[in-house]
Amino acid sequence: MSPPLDLLMQRHSVPSRQLGAPGPEGAELRALLEAAVRVPDHGKLVPFRLIELRGEAKQAFGERLAAIAARNPALSKAKREKERTRYTFAPLVLVVVARVAADSKVPPIEQEVAAGCVAYNLLLGAHALGYGAQWLTGWAAYDADVAALLRLAGNERVIGFVHIGTPQIDVPDRERPAVEEVFSTWTP
């Protein structure tokens, strides 16, 4: 493999429950964020933003999510506890938010994909810095009450929660699709 592609070939997700301290802070975090927002952006709309969850804020966010999840009377005590602690493992969780300008000539899908590229750049950047990361969604990414909790505007939605920290275990890479399964050549 070509050394310039090594970073892409070695990147894999580390389960959020297996991420611990330390995580990026200060100038290192700033550099990661600057790299993450260097994405294709048709129309220069900047159709994304990031929300940091760190320290006690992660615990408070989890408590609020557990309360929101508890509106489901069938939710078991174990699942409620899982919601309460979901964001407490990695030292840093970044909420990637798409901001879709409906009045733009740029289709909404392109704006959302740009935000998705930010999330993926966070994964690549974390890996390049020696951290582990995982991009998660789950019910909270699509829930109106969670959107209100995050103070999202009507044109915003969660693209994902990117958990970043130091891997606490070695995670084997998963099997990837063979190129022949996903690649073809168009012919007229």
Side-chain angles (χ1 to χ4, degrees):
M1 192 53 55
S2 170
L5 296 179
D6 284 349
L7 177 73
L8 293 172
M9 295 301 293
Q10 295 169 6
R11 195 222 63 84
H12 63 274
S13 295
V14 177
S16 62
R17 292 180 175 270
Q18 302 302 327
L19 295 170
E25 297 183 52
E28 186 178 49
L29 175 59
R30 173 84 183 190
L32 174 60
L33 296 175
E34 288 176 353
V37 300
R38 294 181 61 88
V39 297
D41 178 4
H42 183 184
K44 300 177 190 170
L45 299 175
V46 189
F48 48 80
R49 68 183 180 101
L50 300 161
I51 302 169
E52 178 184 52
L53 300 175
R54 188 186 290 274
E56 292 179 13
K58 292 186 309 165
Q59 183 66 38
F61 186 70
E63 295 287 345
R64 301 282 291 278
L65 283 187
I68 292 169
R71 66 185 174 207
N72 175 358
L75 187 72
S76 70
K77 185 176 179 180
K79 287 191 177 188
R80 185 173 177 177
E81 179 65 12
K82 183 178 180 181
E83 295 305 331
R84 192 181 69 71
T85 62
R86 180 181 301 276
Y87 300 90
T88 61
F89 301 98
L92 174 64
V93 179
L94 294 170
V95 186
V96 180
V97 177
R99 297 188 304 188
V100 177
D103 60 346
S104 172
K105 67 176 183 174
V106 178
I109 185 75
E110 289 187 33
Q111 297 177 57
E112 291 175 350
V113 168
C117 287
V118 171
Y120 189 59
N121 275 358
L122 287 169
L123 296 180
L124 288 175
H127 178 71
L129 292 171
Y131 295 106
Q134 188 176 31
W135 174 356
L136 296 171
T137 52
W139 70 271
Y142 310 107
D143 187 90
D145 291 332
V146 176
L149 176 63
L150 290 167
R151 298 180 191 95
L152 301 187
N155 68 326
E156 295 182 320
R157 68 184 213 88
V158 173
I159 292 296
F161 300 92
V162 179
H163 300 246
I164 303 172
T166 299
Q168 304 299 296
I169 62 168
D170 286 330
V171 178
D173 198 10
R174 66 174 174 82
E175 189 173 319
R176 306 294 174 160
V179 171
E180 297 76 23
E181 294 173 10
V182 297
F183 178 79
S184 64
T185 302
W186 182 84
T187 55

